């Protein structure tokens, strides 16, 4: 079976470097990962289609469940040790724990969730993932489907 090799006659275009640390910091500040000026979100977790300042497409991201996962991880690592210290030091009644830790957990989660999503979108932009590099993501063949049809 012959192998088709497709090559382009034009020389590859040099891509500008994208520093992931800068892009993640800009995303964490809820700004465009490219210019750092435009707002990334137009609502709580609704990403703008394009950056209002530089025009960078922002709707190509695939954040999915990662931002909530990282948010829960960070909030739990902050709240649980504090809760244990307060319990061991003061031994307050349960209603004090409920009044103190539930609102604090909610406030931290709602503050960190858009920032985690922005940082992840910034990382995807810097690494040229999911269309941020110019190419469109192609569907990946299901290897399990191939095994089922062969068997």
């Amino acid at each position: 079976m012959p192998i088709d090799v497709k090559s382009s006659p034009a020389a590859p275009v040099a891509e500008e470097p994208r520093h992931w640390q800068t892009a993640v910091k800009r995303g964490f500040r809820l700004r465009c990962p490219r210019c750092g000026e435009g707002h990334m979100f137009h609502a709580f977790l609704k990403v703008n289609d394009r950056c209002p300042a530089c025009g960078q497409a922002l709707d190509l991201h695939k954040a999915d469940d990662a931002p909530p996962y990282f948010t829960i991880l960070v909030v739990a690592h902050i709240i649980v040790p504090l809760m244990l210290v307060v319990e061991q030091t003061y031994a307050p009644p349960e209603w004090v724990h409920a009044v103190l830790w539930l609102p604090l957990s909610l406030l931290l989660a709602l503050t960190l969730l858009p920032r985690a999503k922005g940082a992840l979108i910034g990382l995807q932009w810097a690494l040229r993932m999911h269309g941020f590099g110019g190419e469109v993501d192609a569907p990946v063949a299901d290897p399990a489907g191939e095994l089922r049809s062969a068997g």
Side-chain angles (χ1 to χ4, degrees), residues 8-133:
S8 97
V13 177
E15 297 173 339
E16 79 279 359
R18 296 179 180 177
H19 302 286
W20 71 268
Q21 296 97 338
T22 304
V24 169
K25 287 177 191 174
R26 288 175 176 170
F28 189 80
R29 290 190 318 239
L30 309 179
R31 301 291 181 185
C32 171
R34 181 179 181 193
C35 68
E37 298 296 322
H39 292 279
M40 186 179 292
F41 298 99
H42 65 270
F44 181 61
L45 291 174
K46 298 291 184 185
V47 179
N48 285 326
D49 291 337
R50 297 199 164 277
C51 171
C54 70
Q56 170 67 46
L58 297 173
D59 59 348
L60 303 169
H61 71 88
K62 303 232 186 294
D64 299 330
D65 293 336
Y69 175 80
F70 292 131
T71 299
I72 291 168
L73 184 72
V74 170
V75 169
H77 277 82
I78 293 171
I79 295 295
V80 171
L82 290 174
M83 189 184 300
L84 291 174
V85 167
V86 168
E87 176 61 34
Q88 292 297 317
T89 306
Y90 304 107
E94 284 80 16
W95 70 267
V96 172
H97 283 297
V99 168
L100 181 64
W101 304 117
L102 289 175
L104 186 58
S105 297
L106 184 63
L107 180 69
L108 273 173
L110 292 177
T111 302
L112 289 176
L113 185 57
R115 292 172 180 354
K117 185 171 182 175
L120 184 68
I121 292 171
L123 182 65
Q124 289 178 357
W125 176 82
L127 298 178
R128 302 176 195 279
M129 296 171 66
H130 307 300
F132 282 122

